[in-house]
Amino acid sequence: MSVNSLEALFIQKRQLGKKCLIPFLPGGYPDKKKFWELLFSMDRCGADIIEIGVPFSDPVADGPVVEKASNICLENNISLSWILDELKSNRDKLNSEIVLMGYCNPFFKYGWEKLAKDAKKAGVSGIIVADLPLEESMDIRTLLTEHHISLIYLIGLNTSLHRMEKYAKVAQGFVYFVSVLGTTGARDNLPKELQDKLIEAKKIFPKPLAIGFGIKSPSQTKEIEQWVDGIVFGSSLIEHIDRYKEVETFFNNWK
Amino acid sequence: MKKSYFGEFGGQFVPELLMPPLIELEEAYEQIVGSTEFKEEFNNILKDYVGRPTPLTFCKNLSKELGFNLWLKREDLAHTGAHKINNTIGQALLTKYMGKKNLVAETGAGQHGVATATAAALLGLKCIVFMGAKDVKRQAPNVKRMELLGAEVRPVYSSTQTLKDAINEALRYWISHQKDTHYCLGSVVGPHPFPSLVRDFQAVIGKEVKQEFLKKNNKLPDHIIACVGGGSNAMGIFYEFIKHKEVKLTGVEAAGTGTPNCYHSATLNKGSLGILHGTKTYLLQTNEGQILPSHSVAPGLDYPGVGPEHAYLKDTKRAEYKSVNDDQALYAFRLLSEKEGIIPALESSHALAWALSLKNKVPSDYNVVVNLSGRGDKDLNIVFGNIE
């Protein structure tokens, strides 16, 4: 099997000695028009992979910033269909890889098979499902793989060696390492045990590791950067957008 | 069938960060809950503290009027005034056996919160209860009760500010405090093993009904009726009778005001399959999979999902699920108070209302047991707001 586009991108960045920058923005945030402006802007500013959030009414893995943003999107009638339709018509204007991130229910209601087909047509490379652990994922993973879409798994500080080994057997695209034992949202400090756990994960996973949840500024990731291949930022980016209505200055920080 | 599923319903749809505490709980469920030591301690507390077994009351006056035999399983007489205590004592005791020191719980109307705070006080555990900010206002006396019992009540301001949001917040809290905290979930919902664990702690209701009914009548009842929100009192009374196919089981959901397109809580009657709070079950949701607000005059039925085992009992046709509206429940509430001197919870009044509808439809020797899951003192404000 050929290396998928996500993995290829990580290899390419690694050769350049760089990390993949992975911004997360809920689809249609802060409004339908501004969302696309911001997306194109991030694409120009050096985003490697853009995670588009599929809003859900009950986002248990998210902290207050993403939850609030998600609710605003729902009030603006953003749906998975809207995201996929819009993406289909705009995809060729974007250089970044596109990944969807959301919760089971909106995907399930849409239909996993239809999702796999339509996401492929819209140029999506991977899907992250916040509430789909290994045990529930196998049929869905098979379905997505048939349409060349990676199911990107999340692991965390409390994932045992034994579970990591199980995940390593099925991981695709990249592995999303959740850096805090908590919900999304910028933290001032990352936990002390993070480094040891990352070293452990790096040994087990042949796939690239991206770190997310709690990341606020490049200074936080200095100590751990040798073990990670990508950095995801969501809440801190949303807060920046809320304040400055643009993303350029945010990305300048990370270059 | 996977052990985390009931047919196609159930499962563990949670963030990976919640899998380790769920696996830990599964192991505790398998190893501790069945042990002689645990069972003995649990049963002793149920007997000496909760006041079990609760009576099975024959409704003399109403039976005459209805033309069949109406019995009530008196969970309203259990300590704290509802069946909720069976589950919280079980989970709090399990928490101690697991070596954890804290409980976190969600509550809607406050009944499960009060029952959790009570069990925590008894067993020397710290307790935090998340409650939707709207519910904190609507159910102020229960907030005071929880605080008096030593629990900390944390209002939840997100989304609809009701039960489903309190569950979200409790799950979030559990993610970051899993090491020393157990999540004491209040109904037969949520990810595996909660639906089975809560059912097992509530199953004492059905066991007692069977024993007492056999003693009094030398046979089994014909029909068991219970209200269903999440469905813990119904699973509790149904479970022992599932194997007795001749006993009819009816779950009663809340139809809300009953006007077309009103908000309601009749998930099994009007919902569709989806995934919420870790479990695959019937939900009230939009075509896009967004969860809809629910409504019932009975705060304890106000939940947009339902236990996965009920979904299974419905699809396999072992149980039937009906709904009654707010007015029918309020009528039953008044009727039982006037005719039998028992003020039922509005939740239980839904089950009772369905029993009333059997008048002239069943023979005179037909025996119906209604699970009177709680007492109605807590509902006086709602009732008098509605009636006067």
Side-chain angles (χ1 to χ4, degrees):
Chain A
M1 206 178 83
S2 64
V3 179
N4 77 32
S5 55
L6 288 168
E7 287 166 42
L9 176 63
F10 276 98
I11 292 168
Q12 197 190 328
K13 296 296 283 190
R14 197 182 298 159
Q15 281 162 354
L16 295 169
K18 290 193 163 170
K19 311 284 170 216
C20 272
L21 291 184
I22 314 175
F24 165 88
L25 192 62
Y29 188 80
D31 59 52
K32 289 179 177 175
K33 189 166 160 272
K34 187 77 183 165
F35 170 74
W36 282 105
E37 282 174 37
L38 292 171
L39 212 69
F40 287 125
S41 182
M42 292 195 289
D43 193 56
R44 276 194 309 273
C45 291
D48 298 295
I49 301 169
I50 298 176
E51 267 183 30
I52 300 179
V54 179
F56 179 46
S57 52
D58 295 83
V60 289
D62 286 302
V65 174
V66 175
E67 180 173 34
K68 195 175 153 215
S70 200
N71 282 333
I72 289 171
C73 296
L74 290 175
E75 280 161 25
N76 293 337
N77 291 318
I78 302 302
S79 63
L80 180 53
S81 316
W82 180 85
I83 292 172
L84 289 170
D85 287 347
E86 290 276 306
L87 200 52
K88 211 167 132 187
S89 34
N90 289 303
R91 183 66 184 96
D92 52 3
K93 291 176 239 161
L94 293 163
N95 292 312
S96 316
E97 292 286 330
I98 299 290
V99 162
L100 297 180
M101 179 163 188
Y103 290 82
C104 281
N105 203 46
F107 293 141
F108 172 80
K109 243 342 219 186
Y110 193 87
W112 290 106
E113 180 140 28
K114 184 169 154 40
L115 171 68
K117 283 181 192 156
D118 294 351
K120 189 71 217 165
K121 279 184 215 151
V124 170
S125 325
I127 296 183
I128 307 171
V129 191
D131 54 351
L132 190 73
L134 184 73
E135 285 79 353
E136 303 293 349
S137 69
M138 295 323 288
D139 294 349
I140 292 158
R141 178 185 178 275
T142 308
L143 240 169
L144 294 178
T145 310
E146 277 169 24
H147 294 86
H148 306 285
I149 290 174
S150 301
L151 179 61
I152 294 150
Y153 288 101
L154 299 114
I155 58 162
L157 292 167
N158 63 344
T159 310
S160 66
L161 209 67
H162 179 61
R163 278 184 80 74
M164 279 199 210
E165 280 163 355
K166 286 191 188 172
Y167 272 117
K169 287 192 185 125
V170 293
Q172 299 171 310
F174 63 94
V175 175
Y176 191 136
F177 194 103
V178 177
S179 63
V180 294
L181 202 53
T183 51
T184 57
R187 314 291 206 275
D188 287 328
N189 297 302
L190 293 176
K192 285 191 226 67
E193 62 272 32
L194 178 61
Q195 186 169 329
D196 290 344
K197 203 72 193 179
L198 276 173
I199 294 171
E200 199 177 297
K202 199 66 203 160
K203 278 186 204 151
I204 293 171
F205 288 98
K207 303 285 182 223
L209 274 188
I211 189 167
F213 282 42
I215 312 287
K216 198 165 130 185
S217 73
S219 60
Q220 281 175 306
T221 56
K222 273 268 171 329
E223 283 172 31
I224 47 161
E225 66 178 13
Q226 58 174 305
W227 295 285
V228 299
D229 308 292
I231 297 163
V232 186
F233 27 77
S235 298
S236 57
L237 175 66
I238 291 169
E239 283 171 317
H240 182 96
I241 291 170
D242 288 348
R243 191 185 272 181
Y244 303 108
K245 319 287 174 211
E246 54 82 41
V247 292
E248 283 87 352
T249 50
F250 185 88
F251 272 82
N252 286 339
N253 234 339
W254 282 95
K255 274 184 188 166
Chain B
M1 185 156 110
K2 277 204 236 169
K3 70 173 174 180
S4 56
Y5 277 78
F6 306 94
E8 65 168 312
F9 309 102
Q12 294 179 304
F13 296 89
V14 295
E16 169 58 30
L17 301 194
L18 274 180
M19 285 307 292
L22 282 179
I23 292 168
E24 186 189 7
L25 183 61
E26 260 180 272
E27 285 167 5
Y29 174 41
E30 280 161 19
Q31 286 159 19
I32 299 170
V33 176
S35 72
T36 318
E37 193 194 352
F38 181 91
K39 275 199 264 185
E40 213 167 276
E41 197 171 352
F42 180 48
N43 289 334
N44 282 338
I45 301 175
L46 289 187
K47 177 171 167 280
D48 299 332
Y49 182 76
V50 175
R52 303 205 74 90
T54 59
L56 183 66
T57 303
F58 178 67
C59 296
K60 234 166 134 187
N61 306 324
L62 267 181
S63 292
K64 206 179 279 173
E65 227 169 82
L66 292 168
F68 61 84
N69 299 326
L70 178 67
W71 304 79
L72 301 176
K73 177 59 175 165
R74 301 292 305 280
E75 292 301 295
D76 60 315
L77 294 177
H79 181 42
T80 71
H83 74 290
K84 291 283 182 194
I85 190 83
N86 304 325
N87 169 45
T88 60
I89 293 286
Q91 289 201 51
L93 192 60
L94 185 59
T95 304
K96 280 200 91 165
Y97 275 67
M98 289 168 77
K100 296 192 177 188
K101 295 192 163 49
N102 310 307
L103 289 176
V104 61
E106 82 295 342
T107 196
Q111 294 307 106
H112 173 60
V114 167
T116 307
T118 301
L122 176 71
L123 295 168
L125 299 165
K126 249 189 79 185
C127 177
I128 293 175
V129 181
F130 287 98
M131 189 171 186
K134 264 190 203 159
D135 291 330
V136 168
K137 262 194 203 153
R138 289 192 290 201
Q139 310 288 339
N142 272 342
V143 176
K144 285 281 165 260
R145 264 178 214 125
M146 286 184 268
E147 287 171 351
L148 193 59
L149 292 160
E152 182 195 334
V153 179
R154 294 196 186 171
V156 177
Y157 294 97
S158 56
S159 190
T160 60
Q161 306 188 1
T162 60
L163 177 59
K164 78 173 181 75
D165 309 294
I167 296 180
N168 292 340
E169 216 47 51
L171 285 167
R172 288 172 183 139
Y173 182 89
W174 199 29
I175 291 177
S176 37
H177 298 81
Q178 51 189 262
K179 210 165 177 185
D180 56 4
T181 302
H182 170 68
Y183 179 20
C184 184
L185 187 50
S187 192
V188 288
V189 300
H192 174 74
F194 284 110
S196 304
L197 181 73
V198 177
R199 174 204 65 207
D200 285 2
F201 289 141
Q202 293 293 0
V204 63
I205 305 173
K207 280 181 203 151
E208 287 176 6
V209 168
K210 186 171 153 184
Q211 204 175 14
E212 186 66 15
F213 199 90
L214 277 171
K215 206 165 93 187
K216 286 191 162 117
N217 304 286
N218 217 9
K219 60 176 180 180
L220 293 177
D222 298 292
H223 196 162
I224 307 247
I225 302 175
C227 64
V228 177
S232 70
N233 89 81
M235 267 329 295
I237 199 168
F238 287 175
Y239 195 55
E240 182 66 22
F241 292 97
I242 290 175
K243 57 181 179 246
H244 299 292
K245 298 268 187 307
E246 68 275 25
V247 180
K248 189 169 180 179
L249 307 174
T250 303
V252 185
E253 297 192 309
T257 56
T259 52
N261 301 322
C262 72
Y263 284 127
H264 57 85
S265 305
T267 315
L268 287 163
N269 282 285
K270 293 177 178 173
S272 61
L273 194 58
I275 295 159
L276 177 68
H277 296 144
T279 195
K280 189 188 274 185
T281 185
Y282 288 101
L283 302 176
L284 303 178
Q285 58 180 331
T286 65
N287 289 334
E288 280 82 39
Q290 306 301 338
I291 306 307
L292 285 168
S294 54
H295 164 79
S296 168
V297 68
L301 300 181
D302 204 338
Y303 180 62
V306 67
E309 198 167 7
H310 283 297
Y312 178 67
L313 291 177
K314 180 191 183 224
D315 274 24
T316 54
K317 299 194 163 59
R318 176 59 192 98
E320 61 169 16
Y321 292 87
K322 303 290 182 185
S323 63
V324 306
N325 65 34
D326 292 352
D327 286 344
Q328 292 169 305
L330 286 164
Y331 173 76
F333 176 92
R334 289 225 136 172
L335 191 70
L336 192 72
S337 304
E338 283 166 16
K339 299 287 176 186
E340 300 288 345
I342 298 168
I343 303 173
L346 282 174
E347 292 79 9
S348 324
S349 300
H350 283 72
L352 194 66
W354 185 257
L356 300 180
S357 77
L358 299 178
K359 188 177 180 178
N360 298 328
K361 288 178 191 153
V362 294
S364 61
D365 59 350
Y366 195 71
N367 287 294
V368 176
V369 179
V370 167
N371 196 11
L372 204 77
S373 54
R375 56 190 287 161
D377 308 56
K378 67 179 181 65
D379 296 318
L380 296 189
N381 283 340
I382 300 174
V383 171
F384 289 101
N386 266 290
I387 292 176
E388 282 164 11

